[in-house]
Amino acid sequence: MDGEWWRDGVVYQVYPRSFADASGDGVGDLAGLTAHLDHIAGLGADAIWVTPFQPSPQADHGYDVSDYTGVDPLFGDLATFDDMLTRAHERGLRLIIDIVPNHCSSEHPLFRAAVVGDAAARARFHFAAPADRPPNNWPSVFGGPAWTQTPDGSWYLHLYAPEQPDWNWRDPRTAPFFDDVLRFWFDRGVDGVRIDVAHGLFKAPGLPSLPAEDLARIQPGRLRANPLACDQPEVTGVYRRWRTIADSYDPPRALIGEVNLEPELAARYVGPDRLHQSFAFAFLLAPWDAGTWRDTGDRLLRHSPVTWVVENHDVVRTPTRYGNEARARAAVLTVLGLPGAAYLYQGQEYGLPEVDVPPDARQDPAWLRSGTSRDGCRVPLPWTRSPAGTYGFSSATTDDESHRPEHEDRPKPEPEPGEPREPGEPAPELDSGEPRESELAPAPAPAPAPAPAPAPDERTPRSRQPWLPVPDGWGDHLDSPTLPLVRAAIALRRQLHGTPLTSSPTHGGSDSAFTTPRPAQATGACAYAGADSHSDSRSRSRSRSRSRNDNGTARATAIGSDAVLSPDDPVVWSVDHDARLTARRPRFSLVVAMGMRPLPPGDLLLTSSPLTPDGMLPPDAAAWLTHCDAASGDMLPPDAPV
């Protein structure tokens, strides 16, 4: 996997403002990430994807970039970034960062020059002459028109919030500008980039209005619903250019696109001379339904390589979205058991539920524009069971004031027309918003409303309140059975792929230390393996090799040194009459029980919940099995009967 690690790697997504706060200001930062790299390495992840940390007024929580080659002081500086990158590489972790090429911040120096009338700067964006109405009928992804008027009566295009003006990719200066951005980060040692709104960039020539029938079908949150504003023929040419740059490095850098299109269309962006991967949004948005998972998985695998993901910073967390933590654990075992790369979102290893953030504490700019908030999946992570420092999220400071972080917006006098605006101040006539391209998922009943963080002892140092409140008892999730399952599953996955196991650093971020369990001895409260070797013949017919450790936890079947899995494996999907989903590869099967059914024949490796006393996989659980011909030991074809 070293040469093409991105094809079957496990990537851990970090949303830095909510990961760990080393400065004690209530907002996560890069130093906090550095302090907890051992946790990520201890899970067995191959890479980290860090969402934007570049300078930004934070109108869209970093996706409104005002300087593409720096670090926002909220998160640190370039020296902090370099230290984090070095320490990540020392632990065998690669680093992917976000690049936002579709739009920038309204505080970007080039856009500020454009607003005050610099004609050369205006050509780098989409400006229209003064008029009584916008130049076309395009809606913003966030709701409302995609055009905002400047003090001189001109209009500029923003497919997202007014603070996020769109770059004009038909201007010949735009492509070289982003070439330099890529080289800046690749030169620093970044291993890859995740490209925000990768199917955006170019707009239809002349920016024509949408036909009335198309306009009527557009729903907020879906850029792809406007065919004139995305997926233009020229876009893939940008990624051919970027692939040349990425391949010029040793080792080559990876390009991962947020291409929120139907799988057949997104496939056009991936190839040997284009992007390495695009995100599989269809699976991210699929409900807990065996038939939907089968159909979606089959459709995605027609266009490999696939990036499997069920959580990120834009959607409701899986224990809440699917209905319970058992289903969320089964989903983790699913994404880790399919051919391709797997992406895990911070806190998913603890089975964190969605939090019902009180309306007056919500920070998501989409809340005001669409009534949908993604704050519930962005609540700061717990690192200790004690509530001190917001369950270990923030380092203690000597500041006795309990207030919100300094970066939060405060009322400012409105500048006179034409007067320059201070950095971070909203653009004219602004309502902000934000559903990232993963599309907003409707929120089912979330976890109970969070209580305010407990007041610390006035005699001891304390940190400031976190940027989002956390629920009482948030640290209890550190005991989730999902954590040992994730460790065991990733370790076992590496062995199944024939990948050498890396050293397992001790976790310094929680109350107790651990070392990652080796696959041949996968232990933990949730690494179950069902019936023991004395099971009756009926159980043995379902799974030929099941075993437990002496303490009752799972012991994975020995699978030898040869690779069992490949990112190119064919998969045959099936769903039986009791909603048992099976994804069968040549020597391996993933089974997800959305009803209750016996396991198919095979050597049981791992389950997300204990088997029933009679050896059945209970509802809302998943299992991994290997299988081969009993007489010859050869692998079976993926379509062999089970």
Side-chain angles (χ1 to χ4, degrees):
M1 187 177 64
D2 289 343
E4 294 185 327
W5 57 268
W6 46 271
R7 299 188 71 229
D8 57 2
V10 176
V11 181
Y12 184 94
Q13 182 193 350
V14 170
Y15 191 70
R17 66 189 300 120
S18 296
F19 188 72
D21 169 27
S23 67
D25 67 354
V27 181
D29 45 46
L30 295 182
L33 169 56
T34 303
H36 291 282
L37 287 173
D38 282 347
H39 169 69
I40 303 173
L43 292 175
D46 299 288
I48 307 171
W49 158 33
V50 183
T51 59
F53 53 82
Q54 294 88 346
S56 164
Q58 302 296 315
D60 190 17
H61 289 170
Y63 285 95
D64 51 319
V65 179
S66 57
D67 177 2
Y68 284 87
T69 57
V71 173
D72 194 295
L74 185 66
F75 302 117
D77 53 26
L78 281 172
T80 312
F81 173 85
D82 290 340
D83 180 61
M84 182 269 292
L85 177 61
T86 297
R87 293 175 184 270
H89 284 169
E90 288 172 353
R91 289 157 174 77
L93 293 166
R94 296 170 178 85
L95 184 67
I96 301 166
I97 68 167
D98 253 310
I99 296 293
V100 187
N102 181 74
H103 47 263
C104 65
S105 166
S106 56
E107 296 300 331
H108 193 285
L110 288 172
F111 187 76
R112 288 171 66 92
V115 168
V116 297
D118 184 323
R122 286 199 169 195
R124 304 185 74 152
F125 300 92
H126 295 280
F127 273 82
D132 294 336
R133 62 183 61 188
N136 67 27
N137 62 359
W138 292 3
S140 164
V141 172
F142 297 160
W147 295 89
T148 288
Q149 200 164 24
T150 62
D152 69 356
S154 301
W155 297 86
Y156 69 88
L157 177 70
H158 53 85
L159 292 176
Y160 292 87
E163 298 100 330
Q164 295 169 289
D166 281 46
W167 291 102
N168 177 10
W169 273 85
R170 298 188 186 280
D171 186 277
R173 295 167 291 180
T174 304
F177 174 86
F178 279 98
D179 291 349
D180 290 343
V181 171
L182 282 183
R183 291 190 180 100
F184 176 85
W185 293 109
F186 288 164
D187 287 348
R188 297 193 91 85
V190 165
D191 301 282
V193 295
R194 177 264 192 188
I195 304 155
D196 185 63
V197 195
H199 57 304
L201 284 62
F202 282 88
K203 283 69 177 172
L207 308 181
S209 285
L210 283 160
E213 58 272 20
D214 290 344
L215 185 63
R217 289 195 294 265
I218 288 183
Q219 299 176 356
R222 297 194 177 194
L223 176 61
R224 68 186 186 186
N226 183 351
L228 302 178
C230 67
D231 195 29
Q232 297 298 300
E234 299 89 346
V235 180
T236 54
V238 173
Y239 303 128
R240 289 186 174 90
R241 180 178 183 128
W242 288 12
R243 184 60 176 262
T244 299
I245 295 173
D247 286 348
S248 70
Y249 286 80
D250 184 17
R253 306 318 197 223
L255 305 174
I256 299 103
E258 186 194 33
V259 186
N260 193 359
L261 299 170
E262 294 298 323
E264 295 77 15
L265 298 176
R268 295 183 287 107
Y269 288 73
V270 177
D273 61 343
R274 285 157 284 164
L275 301 178
H276 296 78
Q277 290 177 324
S278 66
F279 281 167
F281 285 99
F283 204 78
L284 176 71
L285 301 175
W288 182 260
D289 177 79
T292 303
W293 280 30
R294 174 199 60 201
D295 296 344
T296 302
D298 182 63
R299 189 179 175 196
L300 290 168
L301 283 169
R302 296 173 194 167
H303 309 286
S304 62
V306 180
T307 57
W308 302 100
V309 57
V310 291
E311 282 197 20
N312 66 23
H313 63 293
D314 285 332
V315 297
V316 173
R317 285 194 179 270
T318 51
T320 304
R321 194 167 85 239
Y322 293 150
N324 58 55
E325 188 178 347
R327 291 179 175 179
R329 290 198 303 271
V332 167
L333 214 54
T334 299
V335 299
L336 291 171
L338 291 169
Y343 280 68
L344 302 178
Y345 176 48
Q346 64 182 45
Q348 192 173 354
E349 71 272 30
Y350 295 128
L352 295 182
E354 189 80 356
V355 174
D356 185 12
V357 177
D360 62 353
R362 292 176 185 173
Q363 303 292 314
D364 185 355
W367 170 244
L368 295 177
R369 297 180 67 88
S370 68
T372 303
S373 172
R374 295 155 299 161
D375 289 319
C377 68
R378 300 175 175 183
V379 169
L381 290 190
W383 289 102
T384 63
R385 293 164 185 80
S386 165
T390 313
Y391 298 96
F393 168 70
S394 287
S395 299
T397 70
T398 55
D399 184 355
D400 279 342
E401 289 189 47
S402 178
H403 56 76
R404 293 191 180 278
E406 293 175 351
H407 75 281
E408 290 189 6
D409 293 339
R410 303 179 186 274
K412 303 183 183 71
E414 185 67 20
E416 295 298 322
E419 180 182 342
R421 312 176 80 83
E422 293 300 318
E425 212 169 85
E429 303 180 12
L430 169 63
D431 266 333
S432 58
E434 196 212 307
R436 285 261 60 70
E437 268 307 285
S438 54
E439 303 178 359
L440 296 176
D457 189 330
E458 294 296 333
R459 297 167 298 176
T460 59
R462 66 182 185 180
S463 58
R464 296 177 183 171
Q465 293 297 308
W467 73 283
L468 285 174
V470 303
D472 188 32
W474 196 230
D476 294 346
H477 290 284
L478 297 179
D479 297 320
S480 168
T482 307
L483 180 59
L485 174 70
V486 169
R487 294 179 192 153
I490 294 177
L492 182 55
R493 171 188 168 104
R494 294 180 69 87
Q495 187 177 358
L496 290 166
H497 279 272
T499 305
L501 292 170
T502 57
S503 59
S504 301
T506 298
H507 178 18
S510 70
D511 293 339
S512 61
F514 70 85
T515 56
T516 302
R518 298 181 67 84
Q521 198 72 18
T523 62
C526 194
Y528 306 108
D532 61 23
S533 59
H534 301 291
S535 300
D536 60 32
S537 59
R538 183 165 55 90
S539 287
R540 287 196 300 271
S541 70
R542 299 187 192 112
S543 181
R544 288 194 298 272
S545 176
R546 299 178 181 157
S547 53
R548 286 179 180 270
N549 295 318
D550 292 339
N551 63 2
T553 57
R555 185 173 76 242
T557 301
I559 55 179
S561 59
D562 294 338
V564 172
L565 300 181
S566 161
D568 299 316
D569 280 344
V571 176
V572 174
W573 300 81
S574 63
V575 175
D576 65 20
H577 67 277
D578 197 25
R580 185 184 74 178
L581 171 71
T582 302
R584 186 178 174 87
R585 298 160 75 169
R587 295 176 60 189
F588 176 91
S589 285
L590 162 73
V591 182
V592 185
M594 296 183 176
M596 182 181 290
R597 290 284 291 170
L599 287 165
D603 294 337
L604 182 61
L605 301 178
L606 198 61
T607 68
S608 62
S609 294
L611 299 182
T612 63
D614 60 351
M616 298 179 75
L617 190 64
D620 303 337
W624 286 2
L625 304 96
T626 55
H627 41 77
C628 61
D629 181 83
S632 67
D634 294 335
M635 71 177 67
L636 295 172
D639 56 351
V642 295

